[in-house]
Amino acid sequence: MMKKSNRSLSMASLAILLFALAACGNDDNSGAATPAATTLSATGSEAPASSEAAADPMGKYDPPIEVTAVRSVLSTFKFENGDTIENNGWTKLYEKELGIKLKYLWAVDASQYDQKLNVMMTTGKLPDIMPVSGSKLKQLYDAGQLEDLTGVLEKYGSEKTKELLNKDGGQALSSATFKGQLVGLPLNPGSTDTASLLWIRADWLKKLNLAEPKTMDDVLKIAEAFAKRDPAGNGKNDTYGLGLSKDLYGLFAGMEGFFNGFHAYPTSWVKDTSGKLAYGSIQPEMKPALVKLQELYKNGGIDVEFGVKSADQLIQDVNSGKLGMLYGAHYMPLLFQEGKNNNPDMDLRPYRLPSFDDQPAAPQTSFSVTEYYVVRKGAEHPEAAVKLLNAFNTVWPKEQYPSEEIGVNGSIEKWQYALLRGTNPTANLDSYKRLKEALEKKDDSVLDHTTGQPFIYKTINEYQAGDKAGWGYALVFGPGGSQELLAAYNANNGFKPTEFQSTPTEVMSQKLATLNKLELETLTKIIMGSAPVDSFDEFVANWKKLGGDVITDEVANWSASKQ
C-alpha cells in the first residue's frame, strides 16, 4: 500500500486518510459518517416561518427565510460547472429542503478570516452564523454576543446530530458550554486516535528470546537488546532500539507514550496536586522519564543521530530493517508496507503502554475540536444553524443529490462547501467493531456500506488469504490490531484527555512556539547527555517566566468560566 514514492506523505494527511476510509466512503453523499437516512419533512405551504411546524429538525420554512453568514475558503478549494461558495449544491439544498436562503456577507481566504472577523466584532455588526476558533468563542461569549443554543439544539437537533455530538461523552459540547449555556456547535473529529501505542518487531523479540513488554524496564531492556544483539541477523552493528525523531512529540515516533509510562503528560494540561490546571511538560513526573532516556541513549539504545532525524528518515529505518521499536499512533503500519514487502517475516505489532510502577499507564489524548459554529445574540432564527448541521448529517437520496454535487467529484471535495459540517468522533472505533463482527461471522452485511468499511473488510480478507498488500489495514482494524487496543482503552476509560479543552488562548498563540522550542532544545540536550537532568528545573523556571505563567492564568480563567 505504502510505496517508496509515498514516503513523504505527512502524518496528518495519513491520519485524515485513514479516518476518511473508515468514516466516509464514496457512497456517502453527505461527507459525514451517517449510517441511517433521515426522512425528509416539510411544513404546509401556508404555514409561516415562525410556526411550530418548523420545529421539525428537517422542517422547511415557508415562506423561506434569509440567514447571513461569513466563512473562510481554503486556497485548495476547487469549483466546477459555475459553482461558487455562494451558489453550489449545498446552498441550493438548503433553500429547496429547508427554506433557508444562505447569504454570505463575505468569504475570504483562511489567512484573512480572523482579521476580518475582528473588525466585525468591533462594530458589533455580526452575521447570523459564523465559524470561530475556541478563543474567539470565549471572546464573543464574554462580550455577550452569542446566542444560547442549549434549548435550540434539544428542540431542533436531529437524532443523528445529537448522537454524533455526544459520541465523545459530551467533551466537545462541554468545551462550548459556559455557565450552563451552550454557545457553539463543535466540529469534533475525535481524540481517541491521538493516543500513542507501543509498536515492536515481535519477530525480533522471538529471535532474541525476549518476552513481550509488561513494564518500562522491559521496554528499556528490549531497546538495548535490539541495538546490541543483531536482531536483523546480518552480522552488522546497524540496528537500534527505540526510535525518536528530532521533533520528540507527535503522532509518529512521538515520545508522549514513553512519558505516559511514567504518568507524565507532556504538551497536555493536567490537574496538579492542588486541583489546579497545570502544563504537563513542566511537572516533576517528567524527570524520572528523562533519567531513563538519558541512560538509554548513553547505552546505545537510541540512535545517536535522533536529534537531526526527520519522520521520513525514521520510516526508512523501519522499512530497511534497522529500527525495532517506536511509539506512535494507530496508523503506523500503513507507513511500513514497503518493509513488509521487502521482508515478509517482519512482524510489527502494537502493544498497550507499559508502566514503570503498578499503576496502569494512560495514553494521553489531545483536544481535537478546531472550529465552532456560533449564532449572534438576537438572531431571528438561531435554530437555522442546527437545521443546517442536521442537513449535513443526513444521507440524502442519490437521485436528488448525487455525490458529484454535494460530496466528492474526483478531486473536488464539494462537502467542504457546506457552511456547517458534522463529524463522527469515534468513526474508526465504530468501524473496528463492525469489521470485527463481519470478520468473525464472515458476513459483510453487518458493515456500513455508506463508509469505507467494505473496502477495509475486503483488504483484510485478502491479506488473510495470503496477499501481504493488506498487512497494514489488518494491523489497524483486524484481530490484535491497534483499533482493538484503543477500543479496550475506550471501554475502560483508560485514556488521559487533556484538561484544557479549547483551542489556543491569546497568549498561547503568541508565546507557545517560543516555549515549545525551549522545551525541545532542553529535553534533547538532556537525552543526549549534554545537559544534566537537573537542568529540567531551570527549563521549568524559564518556561514560567517567558509566558508560561500568563498562559496558566488564562487556562485557569477558562476553567473558572466553565463553572
Side-chain angles (χ1 to χ4, degrees):
M1 183 75 182
M2 291 297 297
K3 297 181 180 179
K4 188 172 183 178
S5 61
N6 289 333
R7 277 181 182 159
S8 61
L9 182 67
S10 73
M11 305 302 109
S13 296
L14 182 56
I16 292 170
L17 169 64
L18 189 56
F19 179 90
L21 280 169
C24 308
N26 291 335
D27 292 333
D28 180 3
N29 290 339
S30 70
T34 50
T38 302
T39 303
L40 303 182
S41 59
T43 63
S45 60
E46 297 182 0
S50 60
S51 74
E52 192 61 31
D56 183 340
M58 298 303 296
K60 182 177 181 179
Y61 295 103
D62 190 6
I65 63 170
E66 181 178 272
V67 172
T68 59
V70 297
R71 67 171 295 166
S72 64
V73 178
L74 298 177
S75 59
T76 54
F77 275 19
K78 298 178 182 179
F79 297 95
E80 65 176 0
N81 302 327
D83 279 353
T84 65
I85 200 61
E86 294 86 4
N87 184 24
N88 55 67
W90 279 102
T91 58
K92 293 170 184 175
L93 183 152
Y94 294 156
E95 184 169 358
K96 181 178 179 181
E97 302 296 344
L98 299 176
I100 296 176
K101 293 182 178 182
L102 185 59
K103 178 183 178 181
Y104 285 113
L105 302 181
W106 48 260
V108 297
D109 183 79
S111 62
Q112 305 171 37
Y113 183 78
D114 279 349
Q115 180 180 1
K116 192 122 176 143
L117 184 60
N118 284 340
V119 173
M120 296 191 84
M121 290 169 61
T122 301
T123 64
K125 296 180 180 179
L126 296 171
D128 296 322
I129 301 172
M130 63 209 117
V132 298
S133 66
S135 57
K136 281 287 186 291
L137 174 88
K138 179 67 165 57
Q139 189 178 351
L140 286 163
Y141 167 76
D142 288 343
Q145 293 181 298
L146 295 184
E147 190 71 28
D148 181 2
L149 302 177
T150 311
V152 174
L153 177 61
E154 179 59 33
K155 185 175 182 179
Y156 293 91
S158 67
E159 182 178 342
K160 175 55 62 177
T161 290
K162 292 177 182 177
E163 176 193 346
L164 293 176
L165 287 174
N166 284 282
K167 287 194 76 173
D168 67 345
Q171 289 183 17
L173 285 173
S174 176
S175 72
T177 303
F178 298 91
K179 299 188 183 305
Q181 294 185 0
L182 175 69
V183 293
L185 302 172
L187 180 64
N188 179 25
S191 61
T192 59
D193 288 336
T194 66
S196 277
L197 297 170
L198 178 60
W199 295 87
I200 302 181
R201 287 279 300 265
D203 55 315
W204 284 11
L205 291 177
K206 184 176 181 180
K207 186 169 186 176
L208 300 180
N209 197 28
L210 297 169
E212 295 182 336
K214 302 296 183 184
T215 68
M216 287 304 300
D217 282 342
D218 294 336
V219 172
L220 299 170
K221 290 175 183 176
I222 290 169
E224 288 194 39
F226 282 0
K228 297 178 178 179
R229 293 173 54 187
D230 188 24
N234 60 6
K236 300 179 181 179
N237 184 25
D238 61 352
T239 59
Y240 57 98
L242 181 61
L244 280 70
S245 80
K246 62 182 181 180
D247 299 319
L248 284 185
Y249 301 135
L251 293 175
F252 176 80
M255 292 307 294
E256 290 94 336
F258 185 91
F259 284 104
N260 295 166
F262 291 85
H263 313 309
Y265 306 97
T267 74
S268 190
W269 287 85
V270 298
K271 288 184 178 178
D272 63 16
T273 53
S274 67
K276 296 180 180 179
L277 297 192
Y279 195 51
S281 293
I282 64 170
Q283 300 309 302
E285 288 82 4
M286 293 284 290
K287 289 183 74 173
L290 289 170
V291 168
K292 294 300 182 182
L293 284 172
Q294 190 181 79
E295 290 176 357
L296 185 61
Y297 181 87
K298 182 179 179 181
N299 294 335
I302 297 173
D303 184 4
V304 295
E305 297 181 349
F306 88 87
V308 295
K309 279 206 168 181
S310 67
D312 278 356
Q313 289 172 306
L314 278 173
I315 292 171
Q316 294 178 41
D317 285 340
V318 175
N319 285 334
S320 61
K322 294 181 179 179
L323 176 60
M325 178 166 58
L326 73 166
Y327 287 87
H330 67 116
Y331 57 74
M332 288 293 96
L334 297 180
L335 298 167
F336 307 136
Q337 186 67 48
E338 182 185 337
K340 184 67 173 179
N341 294 342
N342 293 337
N343 178 12
D345 293 330
M346 183 173 107
D347 186 12
L348 186 72
R349 297 183 189 178
Y351 295 88
R352 294 176 65 94
L353 298 185
S355 172
F356 88 110
D357 60 14
D358 60 356
Q359 298 300 310
Q364 69 184 71
T365 56
S366 304
F367 182 66
S368 299
V369 176
T370 56
E371 192 169 67
Y372 297 86
Y373 305 111
V374 300
V375 177
R376 69 171 176 85
K377 186 76 170 178
E380 186 176 357
H381 293 285
E383 75 282 352
V386 177
K387 289 194 172 191
L388 294 178
L389 183 56
N390 293 341
F392 190 86
N393 291 333
T394 295
V395 177
W396 296 95
K398 297 179 185 178
E399 300 77 17
Q400 293 176 261
Y401 300 102
S403 178
E404 292 78 11
E405 293 299 321
I406 65 171
V408 177
N409 187 24
S411 63
I412 303 178
E413 297 177 328
K414 298 187 177 183
W415 57 269
Q416 295 197 66
Y417 302 167
L419 175 60
L420 273 76
R421 301 185 301 277
T423 53
N424 179 358
T426 60
N428 284 322
L429 288 180
D430 293 351
S431 288
Y432 159 71
K433 292 173 184 176
R434 292 214 187 194
L435 287 161
K436 180 177 185 291
E437 182 180 359
L439 291 166
E440 290 174 347
K441 294 181 177 179
K442 301 185 185 304
D443 178 10
D444 67 356
S445 67
V446 302
L447 300 176
D448 179 358
H449 287 262
T450 68
T451 72
Q453 292 172 16
F455 165 79
I456 298 173
Y457 175 76
K458 177 176 178 290
T459 302
I460 293 175
N461 275 319
E462 289 171 348
Y463 169 71
Q464 293 177 342
D467 183 357
K468 62 176 178 278
W471 171 78
Y473 281 108
L475 259 182
V476 176
F477 289 102
S482 55
Q483 285 295 323
E484 180 176 303
L485 297 185
L486 294 181
Y489 276 122
N490 191 60
N492 294 286
N493 296 317
F495 294 116
K496 180 75 171 180
T498 180
E499 296 285 346
F500 177 62
Q501 299 189 348
S502 179
T503 53
T505 61
E506 182 179 356
V507 179
M508 273 187 198
S509 299
Q510 298 169 359
K511 301 286 189 180
L512 206 53
T514 299
L515 295 176
N516 287 344
K517 181 181 179 182
L518 174 65
E519 180 176 346
L520 176 62
E521 291 175 348
T522 302
L523 269 57
T524 299
K525 288 178 181 179
I526 291 174
I527 294 170
M528 289 183 162
S530 59
V533 174
D534 283 343
S535 66
F536 176 79
D537 300 329
E538 182 181 354
F539 153 69
V540 173
N542 287 332
W543 186 91
K544 292 181 176 182
K545 182 172 58 178
L546 294 174
D549 279 344
V550 179
I551 291 174
T552 302
D553 288 341
E554 284 185 322
V555 172
N557 291 336
W558 169 86
S559 179
S561 72
K562 308 295 291 179
Q563 306 304 320

